[in-house]
Amino acid sequence: MDISDISDISIPVAAMTPHWKPIIDSIPSDQVATGDFDPDQHLQYEPPARVHTMKDLNLPENTGISAVAVSEPFRLFTTEAVHRMRAEVLSQEYVFSQLLTPIPHDLRTCLRGFAARYAPFVYDTWKSPATLSIISKLAGLDLITEMDFEIAHINISVRSEEEKKQQVAAFAEKQAFDEDEGIAGCPYEPEEKPIVDWHTDAYPFVCVTMLSDCTSMIGGETALRTGNGEIVKVRGPQMGCAVILQGRYIEHQALRALGTTERITMVTSFRPRSPNLPDDTVLTTVRPISNLSELYSQYSEYRLEILEERLRTQLRVLRENKRGGKKVNVKALKEFIRAQTDFLAHMEREMVDEELVTMGNIDDSHLHHLSQDDLVAKRKRAA
């Protein structure tokens, strides 16, 4: 059977019953509320304490598509909404479908293609005008979801209770050592490599939502590289809270955390609603961990829709000028044609032939600002 045919499989519930005890226990279905997403019932927005700008990070003013860089964590969802999302994320049918997809098993800590078939509540949440209005206001730009395939990317990190205790004990021992050495009070710096090393995102903006109870979590911040090479950190959100980040244009990494047995985050990607704004989407970091047929289909569809709208607008200008007896602005028209040619060329480069894609292997081409020494160090750590 071709693995691409799994979307047409009806999976019997009995066949999905695990023969092991999962580390993450989902809430029993009879304890989870039902019904459609309701903004009045499921949104609990509380503005962040601060929204950092690109200027705050010493990045050039023309970097990105918005002046907004990253927000501090903010409350976005009610507890009931989080429980609904967790129930869909951890549903046996969805997880089983992911096990059938042609993704390397060492990447099973991320779940993708979380579309309406498996997560109608999650899907409706991010498509809701009320949710989009909140995200757009924080981003300083009218945004829409990137494409259905990116609703949403789920990161799952788990450890046993014994592993958690060992890590907390090691941290306490280090604190005691630091106090003896007179360096207590320094931020927690995990010695392990980060969950995700330095990278820029595929898409203009992301909203990272926490679906786990992180009350006792130590670490877990997002580190950002500023324009002058310094590193700043934004603390991670608590359950039901989120942060937004203009991640396509800011190099960042997700630092490891301890003190919890699970850490589930939902990453939803966004792009400008206006077809006249730049779309600098790249597929470098998502191509090797995605169903390429679905990714390429949705990527090409929305890109061609943007092109279609741009062409219609330009055609309307030409016709109006002709009716008004105006000359054709050849210089402007040629600039428009070159811009659309570049748009299509970029699109063609991103759609790498499937046989040339190594699943699970993400190169460094998305890292625009890392020095050669940084890249060498990064590759050594990954080796």
Side-chain angles (χ1 to χ4, degrees):
M1 179 183 67
D2 190 325
I3 197 71
S4 63
D5 294 333
I6 66 167
S7 60
D8 298 323
I9 296 177
S10 179
I11 306 171
V13 174
M16 297 183 292
T17 303
H19 300 289
W20 64 89
K21 179 176 175 55
I23 294 179
I24 302 177
D25 289 322
S26 58
I27 299 174
S29 58
D30 60 353
Q31 297 181 23
V32 178
T34 58
D36 297 334
F37 171 77
D38 181 349
D40 294 331
Q41 182 179 350
H42 298 120
L43 289 179
Q44 190 182 340
Y45 175 59
E46 298 174 8
R50 183 180 178 186
V51 175
H52 304 271
T53 65
M54 303 294 270
K55 185 177 180 180
D56 292 336
L57 299 185
N58 293 307
L59 293 168
E61 291 186 6
N62 62 346
T63 301
I65 57 174
S66 170
V68 172
V70 61
S71 74
E72 294 290 335
F74 59 94
R75 168 69 57 184
L76 184 56
F77 297 114
T78 63
T79 300
E80 179 185 320
V82 173
H83 288 169
R84 292 286 301 277
M85 292 176 181
R86 284 177 61 91
E88 291 185 339
V89 168
L90 301 174
S91 68
Q92 291 183 4
E93 182 182 10
Y94 176 65
V95 173
F96 187 81
S97 75
Q98 290 289 293
L99 294 176
L100 289 177
T101 55
I103 308 297
H105 288 285
D106 58 352
L107 294 175
R108 289 302 171 198
T109 52
C110 72
L111 306 176
R112 294 178 52 71
F114 207 61
R117 174 176 178 181
Y118 300 107
F121 183 85
V122 170
Y123 184 87
D124 291 345
T125 295
W126 294 111
K127 285 292 190 179
S128 167
T131 308
L132 290 174
S133 176
I134 292 172
I135 302 302
S136 296
K137 182 179 179 180
L138 289 173
L141 188 67
D142 191 9
L143 298 176
I144 57 176
T145 50
E146 177 73 24
M147 48 185 157
D148 285 357
F149 189 73
E150 296 298 344
I151 307 176
H153 176 108
I154 309 297
N155 291 314
I156 301 179
S157 174
V158 296
R159 59 177 59 90
S160 67
E161 189 67 33
E162 182 61 30
E163 289 173 323
K164 184 188 83 170
K165 291 178 180 178
Q166 290 175 356
Q167 289 186 331
V168 171
F171 175 70
E173 183 178 348
K174 181 178 183 302
Q175 277 192 315
F177 175 81
D178 290 347
E179 289 177 358
D180 291 341
E181 295 296 316
I183 56 175
C186 296
Y188 167 61
E189 296 283 359
E191 296 181 359
E192 300 178 82
K193 66 180 182 179
I195 297 175
V196 181
D197 211 340
W198 289 108
H199 69 288
T200 55
D201 293 334
Y203 310 116
F205 269 95
V206 294
C207 179
V208 182
T209 306
M210 180 60 69
L211 300 184
S212 297
D213 182 0
C214 296
T215 305
S216 60
M217 185 176 73
I218 303 169
E221 302 95 340
T222 297
L224 310 174
R225 190 188 299 273
T226 67
N228 57 13
E230 296 180 354
I231 306 301
V232 299
K233 295 178 183 177
V234 175
R235 65 185 176 89
Q238 294 295 313
M239 188 170 73
C241 298
V243 296
I244 64 162
L245 171 68
Q246 195 173 182
R248 176 70 193 97
Y249 309 96
I250 304 171
E251 287 169 12
H252 56 282
Q253 65 175 195
L255 300 180
R256 289 192 178 274
L258 56 84
T260 62
T261 54
E262 64 155 71
R263 186 171 184 244
I264 305 177
T265 56
M266 174 181 292
V267 184
T268 311
S269 301
F270 299 87
R271 58 183 172 88
R273 185 185 298 273
S274 171
N276 299 317
L277 290 175
D279 178 43
D280 296 325
T281 292
V282 295
L283 303 181
T284 315
T285 56
V286 297
R287 193 188 302 119
I289 57 172
S290 299
N291 180 319
L292 291 179
S293 177
E294 191 64 33
L295 177 68
Y296 287 170
S297 173
Q298 294 191 24
Y299 171 73
S300 58
E301 180 178 4
Y302 94 76
R303 293 275 294 190
L304 292 175
E305 286 175 350
I306 289 175
L307 181 61
E308 179 183 32
E309 186 60 33
R310 290 177 179 178
L311 291 173
R312 289 184 184 279
T313 300
Q314 183 61 42
L315 181 59
R316 185 165 55 251
V317 170
L318 282 173
R319 286 172 173 167
E320 289 175 353
N321 287 344
K322 183 177 180 180
R323 284 194 296 268
K326 297 179 181 179
K327 279 187 170 183
V328 175
N329 187 334
V330 177
K331 181 178 179 181
L333 183 57
K334 292 179 72 172
E335 287 179 355
F336 171 81
I337 293 171
R338 283 193 292 269
Q340 307 324 307
T341 301
D342 291 343
F343 182 86
L344 286 171
H346 174 88
M347 182 176 170
E348 190 273 336
R349 287 193 299 271
E350 293 305 314
M351 298 177 67
V352 177
D353 293 342
E354 292 194 31
E355 61 270 20
L356 300 179
V357 176
T358 303
M359 301 308 290
N361 181 38
I362 299 175
D363 63 36
D364 301 318
S365 62
H366 59 293
L367 294 169
H368 302 300
H369 309 300
L370 286 189
S371 68
Q372 190 59 38
D373 289 343
D374 288 331
L375 290 173
V376 170
K378 177 180 183 295
R379 290 162 185 161
K380 284 182 177 179
R381 288 196 300 271

